[in-house]
Amino acid sequence: MSVVSLELREKRHRLGLKGPRAAEWLAAQGVELPMTPNTWTQSEGTGAADALLVARLGSAEFFLEDGTDGTALERISPSLDQNPPGVYPVLREDWAFHLGGDGVHDVLAQVCNVNFAALSLDSRPLIMTLMVGVAVLVVPQSAGGGGQGTAATRHYRIWCDPTFGPYLGESLGAVVIECGGRYTGVSG
Amino acid sequence: MPLAAAQAGAQVALADESLRLTGNGAPTALVQAVRGSASITLFPATVAAGCYADHWVALAQPARMTKMRAGAVVFATGVIEQPAVFRNNDLPGVMLASGAARLAARHSVAPGRRVVIIAANLDAYVTCLELHARGVRVAAIVDLRTAPESDAAVSACAALGLLMLRAHAPYEALRGPEGTVAGLMVAPVTEDGRLDGSAPRRIDCDAILMSVGWAAATQLYLQAGGSTRFSEELQQFVPVDSPPGIFAAGRMNGVYDLESRLADGRRAGSQAAAHAGYGTSNGAVVARSTRCPSHRFPIFDHPLAKNFVDFDEDLQVKDLENAAQEGFDSSELLKRYSTVGMGPSQGKHSNMNALRILARFRGVDVARLGLTTARPMYHPVPMKLLAGRSFYPERRTPCDAQHGALGAVWMPAGNWRRPEYYAVPGESRAQSIDAEVHAVRSSVGLIDVGTLGKIEVYGPDSAELLDRVYAGRFSDLKVGMTRYGLMLDESGVIVDDGVIARLGEEFYYFTTTTGGSATVFRELLRLNALWGLDCTLVNVTGHRAAFNFAGPSSRGILQQVTDVDLRDEAFPYLAVRSGQVAGAAARLMRVGFVGELGYEIHVAAGRGREVWKALCAAGAPQSLRPFGVEAQRVLRLEKGHFIVGQDTDGLTDPHEANAMWAVAMKKPFFIGQRSLRILQARGPRQKLAGIELAATAPLPKECHLVIDKGSIVGRVTSVTHSRALNKSIGLAMLSPELAQVGRDIQIRVDNGDLLAARVAPAPFYDPKNLRQKAGAGA
């Protein structure tokens, strides 16, 4: 039987930035940026728990999420209070999910038109698409880093607008459970 | 084609409508090779029902729908035989020749005992020979042309000794006693299709087979983004421009001879494989056929009509000519007006002839008209194949659970669910709504308005952007103040409204209607890009919770949980302030939508619940009640505020809605300004007016009609009973002469009765707005 799990992730520090000088400002804060639109980077840190994820949405918008023990956003956020020109904060109250397991692509095939199984992770793609009818941001990751990765080593981090969070969680969770998996939901 | 792609290393899926792969005349060895290839997956009895973006093809199989995303797609969809159009061509026994041949070859079913074939191509003669070989008696071949091509099949038919007429056409099919074909009247026809019906000749038969031409099955190719042109030489549409990864081959591509079709398939297969990353493209472009397989006008008039063009929709030649006469004289308009091609066959047998009729009517070539693109599904698809998960995204505000715990009765609002009202044990619906309204008017109420669209705009040109997209002026709005905004479209019609707050010199925060947030944001992004302004838009609709805390006691209660100085002198009416509410960073706007002292409180979504709880707790000693959408409707109606989309419609401009106060006509430009000038000069067609009815009168419904001297002169757009005013009040869209205060009107209700009402000044409640401005009991 395939194993698949959907987990509603605990709250983490998130920051959105938009504007013509957002990239320049982030770089000045020492943040490693994805160079091409719709890709992501993750700082090495000392471990996954404090890694900072930086996703580039289009050319001039960024989404940052600290690891559970991360402090990067705490460090750079105060600088935004000085209202740097051309750098605009974007409130990010997203709900975040983690979908993984060797049955993960069976679930995704039922809820989304993107063929995630065929996706190469070498370029660290960031996918903005609809899942069960809800606009989502998806970062596919592999335990081994880039490349194709097997379904067992692939997992997907999914973010959505918080007002769609309950619906997305319930809908995805129902499919996961039908596929023999489990949904670990917590209150948003 | 599939072999060429497979040999290049590609994995190939071959979808074939036939139950068994036959190859449609291809050599047996080739068919066997396709069947035996490990790289080719056969989908027999499968219809490609639709082609979508990014090479996404819907394959309707007998038991399931397969959604296929291909690296490249080759359309070898062939051609569809077209009927001739003549009187009584809908009788049983009138058939397409290819259908008759298939019946005979695959199922040993004879189309009739004595058959007449109407011909305009070589296929007719081949079919004649096939039927003759199977024992079917062919009485005659009636060729529309003056001279058929020189071919062995024609000679072989002549040798059979059957009647072979040239330059003749069907004039009328004759009905037998059982309602089926009993004969065919034929008459001489000229090259340009003129029929001389003065002395038609009768041929007895019980089946009439038509072989007069073909239409290319280009619809899937068109859905995939391909484009076509009409070939006069072939009398069919042929592909001319294919998007990347899309290829056409075979008869659909205008290539008819078998050897040429095989070569064209190899060319398309190798190109598709190369596009998908396998091998290199090879094979020269194959020349299209030079022999025309289709008659240019197989359509024949008859004084008694019943010459059907569309068998699904029962459309005759005269129906299409009448449509064109009415002015629906483009292929798109003709389709929509006459419904040609809208039946289950999606125009497979009617669109081509309809185009020819339209071209004749307009005196132009078919090439001038163009082809419409059928929507998916191109073929009828069983409902069972479409069954599956259904997703209806629903939005919930951060306080959804709190509303549920308070007894919320839900209602849909766009894709949100919102409390219509909060049910209280022992109270009816009306009593609960009434109590919620009373709480706001007498003490304090709290409503979740998180569904409002919420957008931020930053940058040096943010004021310029707002000045252009809203009818009011916002460049002169002081920092720390708000102003109502009205959004129009290019024709001057009201499309949205909201409150715009200026939080900094180059930073605005504004709300939109609940239903309009996504549309407004998308349109603003488009306009911002179009105008090249230096500003940035951020949609925070879902990321911010918002509440309206309203009532004469609201200030005192709110002051308990906020560090913002709420005194009038520090926080006047229409001001906006930032501060903490229940420990959460908040934006507070002093607005008056419900007509009382009130504050809209906007916080991050994640803090919404605790702020809601804190406000409820602080207000409890003063009998705070949460209120829902229904109570809010009553409250705003007492104030005479219109709701965009309910009290306005798709034609309402600010002048008609009495909202010119929110329009700055002196601005250099805003969207809708030019149209508004024209509309102002023309004068209003209708006016939104307040109406009132006696408290004892039955309540009309929204959309009930206003009648004057037996004519419809308006409609009720909103109506409710106001406890505060002890009467029923509403808004109605009326003809301008009726929209005069004091004018008596009559409203026709469901049972036909006429209710008496009177036009009244709005606002109905606190007309000088003293309560919301001063915050004191008026």
Side-chain angles (χ1 to χ4, degrees):
Chain A
M1 188 177 74
S2 68
V3 177
V4 60
S5 67
L6 175 70
E7 184 187 342
L8 180 59
R9 280 294 167 103
E10 71 280 11
K11 285 193 170 206
R12 296 181 178 184
H13 288 292
R14 298 191 188 100
L15 174 66
L17 285 178
K18 202 172 181 182
R21 300 180 71 178
E24 178 189 330
W25 184 85
L26 275 171
Q29 308 306 310
V31 175
E32 182 195 348
L33 299 181
M35 297 314 292
T36 52
N38 301 330
T39 60
W40 56 275
T41 60
Q42 195 154 13
S43 68
E44 297 303 325
T46 55
D50 61 357
L52 173 69
L53 177 99
V54 183
R56 188 167 198 152
L57 320 179
S59 58
E61 184 171 359
F62 296 88
F63 169 64
L64 297 87
E65 183 180 86
D66 244 337
T68 44
D69 300 333
T71 57
L73 296 184
E74 273 182 44
R75 176 176 59 80
I76 66 174
S77 292
S79 307
L80 274 175
D81 294 341
Q82 298 161 20
N83 297 322
V87 184
Y88 310 120
V90 178
L91 183 63
R92 300 296 310 221
E93 295 279 305
D94 303 58
W95 277 37
F97 298 89
H98 180 276
L99 183 64
D102 59 11
V104 68
H105 293 130
D106 292 337
V107 171
L108 287 169
Q110 296 182 55
V111 298
C112 184
N113 276 341
V114 173
N115 184 3
F116 285 99
L119 209 59
S120 168
L121 304 194
D122 287 337
S123 60
R124 294 192 159 182
L126 170 83
I127 314 296
M128 287 182 275
T129 183
L130 291 179
M131 197 171 280
V132 296
V134 173
V136 291
L137 190 66
V138 184
V139 166
Q141 292 184 319
S142 165
Q148 293 289 338
T150 64
T153 61
R154 280 247 184 131
H155 60 266
Y156 294 87
R157 295 168 71 176
I158 302 166
W159 294 266
C160 75
D161 181 299
T163 59
F164 282 117
Y167 167 80
L168 182 65
E170 290 162 13
S171 303
L172 274 184
V175 179
V176 164
I177 290 165
E178 269 187 40
C179 290
R182 66 178 194 283
Y183 171 35
T184 314
V186 295
S187 73
Chain B
M1 177 271 291
L3 266 185
Q7 285 165 357
Q11 290 292 316
V12 181
L14 178 62
D16 192 329
E17 291 181 9
S18 307
L19 192 60
R20 290 182 297 120
L21 181 67
T22 62
N24 198 19
T28 307
L30 180 63
V31 175
Q32 294 295 346
V34 169
R35 283 191 181 133
S37 172
S39 299
I40 300 175
T41 306
L42 295 177
F43 287 80
T46 298
V47 170
C51 193
Y52 302 84
D54 303 326
H55 306 163
W56 194 105
V57 185
L59 298 177
Q61 298 167 264
R64 67 177 64 82
M65 172 82 78
T66 297
K67 300 173 181 177
M68 175 80 65
R69 176 91 67 190
V73 185
V74 177
F75 293 95
T77 43
V79 288
I80 300 167
E81 190 155 39
Q82 300 295 295
V85 177
F86 54 95
R87 175 169 164 77
N88 288 338
N89 62 344
D90 62 333
L91 286 183
V94 181
M95 305 172 65
L96 295 170
S98 59
R102 188 177 300 183
L103 273 178
R106 293 193 183 175
H107 307 289
S108 295
V109 173
R113 293 184 179 84
R114 186 180 163 84
V115 172
V116 172
I117 299 175
I118 302 168
N121 53 30
L122 188 59
D123 301 306
Y125 294 87
V126 173
T127 301
C128 173
L129 295 174
E130 288 175 2
L131 293 176
H132 178 76
R134 290 177 180 277
V136 176
R137 184 180 174 194
V138 179
I141 296 179
V142 180
D143 202 315
L144 308 181
R145 302 166 296 176
T146 51
E149 51 273 90
S150 297
D151 191 274
V154 178
S155 304
C157 287
L160 295 176
L162 54 88
L163 177 63
M164 291 179 69
L165 296 174
R166 294 177 181 178
H168 273 68
Y171 182 65
E172 175 182 6
L174 300 174
R175 185 193 306 268
E178 294 178 355
T180 57
V181 168
L184 177 66
M185 302 294 286
V186 298
V189 66
T190 60
E191 279 287 358
D192 61 356
R194 294 182 193 280
L195 196 67
D196 178 7
S198 58
R201 172 178 178 176
R202 175 176 177 136
I203 305 172
D204 288 331
C205 62
D206 61 358
I208 299 168
L209 311 186
M210 303 172 289
S211 183
V212 297
W214 306 85
T218 55
Q219 291 298 344
L220 290 170
Y221 174 79
L222 292 172
Q223 288 174 7
S227 58
T228 58
R229 69 168 175 86
F230 188 74
S231 163
E232 278 292 332
E233 297 76 25
L234 290 173
Q235 285 294 306
Q236 74 171 60
F237 284 92
V238 291
V240 286
D241 190 15
S242 304
I246 298 295
F247 304 92
R251 290 198 284 184
M252 189 270 261
N253 195 31
V255 178
Y256 274 78
D257 299 332
L258 179 59
E259 286 305 317
S260 298
R261 278 191 280 147
L262 292 172
D264 200 31
R266 286 191 293 274
R267 186 263 318 156
S270 76
Q271 286 182 338
H275 181 85
Y278 300 96
T280 54
S281 173
N282 56 51
V285 173
V286 177
R288 292 192 167 120
S289 299
T290 53
R291 188 157 59 186
C292 178
S294 299
H295 195 271
R296 63 179 58 245
F297 202 80
I299 299 155
F300 306 102
D301 296 322
H302 193 286
L304 299 177
K306 286 200 177 296
N307 43 1
F308 288 94
V309 179
D310 190 319
F311 300 99
D312 296 340
E313 302 289 301
D314 269 357
L315 293 172
Q316 305 174 38
V317 174
K318 65 179 182 183
D319 298 318
L320 299 171
E321 290 175 339
N322 289 342
Q325 183 69 45
E326 292 285 334
F328 301 96
D329 57 359
S330 72
S331 53
E332 293 284 352
L333 293 176
L334 182 73
K335 174 182 175 176
R336 279 156 182 80
Y337 182 72
S338 69
T339 71
V340 64
M342 288 188 174
S345 71
Q346 291 248 45
K348 293 182 181 71
H349 298 121
S350 57
N351 280 353
M352 201 59 241
N353 281 334
L355 278 182
R356 288 187 166 112
I357 292 167
L358 181 61
R360 179 178 70 169
F361 180 87
R362 288 181 47 186
V364 299
D365 294 333
V366 172
R368 287 272 307 274
L369 298 176
L371 205 57
T372 57
T373 302
R375 297 184 184 90
M377 305 298 185
Y378 177 48
H379 292 274
V381 172
M383 295 295 286
K384 67 178 182 182
L385 299 188
L386 304 175
R389 299 186 189 283
S390 58
F391 299 117
Y392 298 102
E394 182 183 69
R395 304 183 81 168
R396 300 176 195 169
T397 69
C399 298
D400 188 84
Q402 279 67 40
H403 301 321
L406 287 164
V409 175
W410 301 105
M411 63 172 284
N415 54 3
W416 297 86
R417 72 170 189 178
R418 298 191 70 184
E420 181 190 14
Y421 67 100
Y422 296 86
V424 174
E427 286 182 357
S428 67
R429 173 182 180 278
Q431 287 171 326
S432 291
I433 294 169
D434 203 38
E436 290 172 14
V437 172
H438 182 67
V440 177
R441 291 277 178 250
S442 62
S443 179
V444 67
L446 177 64
I447 183 171
D448 185 345
V449 293
T451 59
L452 290 172
K454 296 176 277 293
I455 298 172
E456 295 168 338
V457 55
Y458 297 89
D461 289 337
S462 49
E464 176 67 20
L465 176 75
L466 294 175
D467 270 356
R468 293 189 192 188
V469 298
Y470 279 102
R473 191 187 298 275
F474 297 93
S475 49
D476 66 356
L477 183 64
K478 291 178 181 170
V479 174
M481 295 302 291
T482 69
R483 187 173 290 164
Y484 175 77
L486 204 55
M487 193 175 284
L488 315 181
D489 67 11
E490 287 82 354
S491 58
V493 167
I494 298 171
V495 293
D496 206 83
D497 68 351
V499 172
I500 291 89
R502 190 168 199 169
L503 299 178
E505 284 299 327
E506 298 180 357
F507 177 26
Y508 292 81
Y509 176 63
F510 60 97
T511 59
T512 75
T513 58
T514 292
S517 62
T519 310
V520 168
F521 182 68
R522 203 163 42 234
E523 177 66 358
L524 263 54
L525 285 180
R526 188 186 73 84
L527 292 170
N528 190 31
L530 184 72
W531 292 331
L533 296 174
D534 183 5
C535 59
T536 296
L537 290 147
V538 179
N539 187 351
V540 292
T541 297
H543 297 268
R544 282 199 174 274
F547 314 107
N548 188 2
F549 193 63
S553 305
S554 59
R555 177 161 34 208
I557 298 169
L558 181 58
Q559 193 66 79
Q560 296 171 32
V561 292
T562 183
D563 61 358
V564 176
D565 185 349
L566 300 181
R567 290 174 304 147
D568 251 339
E569 53 272 34
F571 194 170
Y573 181 56
L574 297 182
V576 57
R577 296 287 182 268
S578 295
Q580 299 276 316
V581 175
R587 291 171 185 162
L588 292 87
M589 293 190 276
R590 193 172 154 192
V591 294
F593 187 60
V594 297
E596 299 290 345
L597 173 69
Y599 304 86
E600 227 170 70
I601 303 160
H602 295 232
V603 297
R607 308 299 298 270
R609 291 181 189 181
E610 57 200 274
V611 172
W612 173 273
K613 286 180 184 172
L615 291 169
C616 286
Q622 297 201 46
S623 306
L624 174 142
R625 275 189 83 140
F627 64 104
V629 174
E630 274 305 313
Q632 183 181 240
R633 283 179 176 169
V634 175
L635 292 160
R636 68 93 194 176
L637 196 49
E638 289 176 340
K639 292 299 296 177
H641 296 314
F642 63 77
I643 293 178
V644 175
Q646 174 167 333
D647 300 296
T648 69
D649 59 28
L651 294 172
T652 308
D653 62 61
H655 192 46
E656 294 174 338
N658 302 312
M660 286 304 289
W661 59 269
V663 179
M665 288 300 287
K666 290 181 180 171
K667 282 197 302 183
F669 169 81
F670 62 87
I671 291 176
Q673 185 186 42
R674 180 177 173 278
S675 298
L676 210 49
R677 286 202 182 104
I678 296 169
L679 292 169
Q680 274 187 292
R682 188 196 68 181
R685 295 172 304 107
Q686 52 185 0
K687 290 283 278 185
L688 192 64
I691 57 169
E692 59 183 26
L693 298 91
T696 52
L699 202 60
K701 291 178 184 170
E702 288 156 2
C703 265
H704 273 163
L705 299 176
V706 178
I707 305 295
D708 185 45
K709 300 186 182 91
S711 298
I712 298 170
V713 291
R715 70 182 194 284
V716 177
T717 60
S718 293
V719 68
T720 191
H721 179 73
S722 167
R723 175 179 162 185
L725 301 166
N726 191 31
K727 59 185 173 189
S728 295
I729 56 170
L731 294 173
M733 198 60 88
L734 301 172
S735 59
E737 57 274 18
L738 276 185
Q740 308 295 329
V741 171
R743 182 77 185 256
D744 290 328
I745 59 170
Q746 291 187 310
I747 300 165
R748 177 169 285 156
V749 294
D750 284 344
N751 63 4
D753 288 350
L754 290 172
L755 287 183
R758 179 167 293 172
V759 177
F764 304 95
Y765 177 84
D766 184 24
K768 293 184 178 174
N769 298 329
L770 296 177
R771 298 178 69 89
Q772 64 211 58
K773 286 180 180 170

